[in-house]
Amino acid sequence: MLCEISGSPTSAHYTRIIGHVGDDGNVYNSRAGEAGGEGLDRCVGHIAADGNVYSTAKGFGEGMAQCVGHIGEDGNIYNTPRGAAVGRAGCVGHAGPDGRVYTTPAGAAAGLDACVGQVLSGSREMGAAALLLLLNRAPEGRDDWAGPADGAGSTGAAGAAPTRRKTPPVVYKTEEQLLRSMAFRFVMLSLLGAGVGCVLTNLNVALGVVLGLLVGGGLTLFLTMGASSVAYHFDTVRCKSALLRCFFRRPAFWGIIFPVLLWAAAALILLSLLSGSPSLALSLCAVGLAMALGAGVGRAIRRRRGK
């Protein structure tokens, strides 16, 4: 057992324990040692070695769609994946030196009214992340991290709106089901995009097909890999399909960045046709490449300074 968590700011009695973090990093809504307490039906998520917090059991999905936050290097818990921009508004809580978990950033004034529980053993930051995950876990699926469930204090910024329940995610139980869904979406969306492309290009079939493939492929990847309302109930790390292993190795790239690049290419082709000259499209492409290069250099400099 890595951590045990009490749902009371003041009591460490075993009746107030609402969960624990197992040796495998999974977060369970049970007491340590409880019979059947570490079954998949009691697991509400897991904390990875890199500090990211996921709403699935370990080995059942570590993509952008399942990531609900991360443990920052400053000890604060944020509602964004590691590597994303963080700010005070994205901080959902922290653990104090006494193990109490507060819904305010570290260093801010906090009292018992902002305390939602305490970490009884193990890493304070890991316990705080597990507690906030337990509080925000709904029976049919996770909610946003904008606020806790069951009447606890707000885990977002001061004055934030109350939590809105998310629609149930689309669940893929097997690899075959996911592959069939991707193939069906790719064919249907590509045909639809090709039809629209033919109309926009004055019945140029070749360009229409190219536009359809770019738009359809991008939408397929985004809807199955990058959308936040998707959940996978199979081991995404040890997929039998080499294609899925490639996708899940870098889900953020294949689910968000690559589709945007495909859509941008389709937009540039369409812009060239509508303007009658490729010069405008090439200019926009050059500006985009310059911005991407600048962002990459800036990120490399920040990483080097952070070491």
Side-chain angles (χ1 to χ4, degrees):
M1 180 190 67
L2 299 179
C3 293
E4 194 159 32
I5 304 136
S6 170
S8 169
T10 56
S11 174
H13 194 267
Y14 77 94
T15 58
R16 306 306 299 273
I17 293 174
I18 62 172
H20 75 282
V21 183
D23 294 331
D24 54 2
N26 279 337
V27 181
Y28 300 97
N29 58 2
S30 60
R31 296 192 297 271
E34 181 180 338
E38 292 195 355
L40 285 179
D41 59 325
R42 304 299 298 271
C43 181
V44 299
H46 78 279
I47 302 174
D50 59 0
N52 273 334
V53 184
Y54 298 92
S55 60
T56 56
K58 187 175 183 179
F60 285 81
E62 289 190 359
M64 292 285 289
Q66 292 82 35
C67 187
V68 293
H70 78 279
I71 304 171
E73 296 178 356
D74 54 3
N76 284 329
I77 315 300
Y78 295 93
N79 60 5
T80 56
R82 180 172 291 276
V86 296
R88 191 178 182 89
C91 178
V92 294
H94 79 283
D98 55 359
R100 288 193 173 98
V101 181
Y102 301 91
T103 58
T104 55
L112 285 180
D113 57 331
C115 183
V116 292
Q118 57 183 317
V119 181
L120 303 180
S121 62
S123 167
R124 291 184 289 108
E125 289 79 12
M126 180 179 288
L131 174 59
L132 294 171
L133 178 61
L134 285 163
L135 291 176
N136 286 275
R137 180 73 173 189
E140 70 278 9
R142 71 174 179 87
D143 289 342
D144 284 336
W145 274 39
D150 300 332
S154 172
T155 57
T163 301
R164 292 179 297 175
R165 190 174 300 278
K166 296 186 70 174
T167 56
V170 178
V171 177
Y172 295 102
K173 297 182 179 180
T174 63
E175 298 176 32
E176 292 75 13
Q177 184 181 1
L178 176 59
L179 288 171
R180 287 197 301 269
S181 175
M182 292 181 69
F184 177 77
R185 281 177 170 168
F186 179 69
V187 172
M188 296 302 297
L189 292 173
S190 295
L191 289 175
L192 181 61
V196 176
C198 288
V199 173
L200 295 176
T201 58
N202 293 323
L203 302 182
N204 189 322
V205 178
L207 285 176
V209 170
V210 171
L211 290 175
L213 291 174
L214 291 174
V215 175
L219 284 172
T220 300
L221 288 172
F222 176 76
L223 293 174
T224 54
M225 301 296 301
S228 59
S229 59
V230 176
Y232 312 106
H233 284 187
F234 57 88
D235 192 339
T236 58
V237 178
R238 300 177 180 86
C239 295
K240 298 177 183 178
S241 169
L243 178 63
L244 290 183
R245 285 200 305 271
C246 176
F247 285 157
F248 284 115
R249 196 172 291 122
R250 299 185 62 189
F253 173 80
W254 293 109
I256 298 177
I257 299 176
F258 191 67
V260 170
L261 293 176
L262 293 179
W263 296 334
L268 290 175
I269 293 174
L270 190 59
L271 181 61
S272 299
L273 293 173
L274 295 178
S275 63
S277 172
S279 58
L280 180 58
L282 291 175
S283 299
L284 292 176
C285 186
V287 171
L289 290 175
M291 292 175 63
L293 179 62
V297 172
R299 187 175 182 180
I301 293 174
R302 288 196 300 272
R303 284 183 175 179
R304 186 174 181 84
R305 287 180 176 179
K307 292 183 178 179

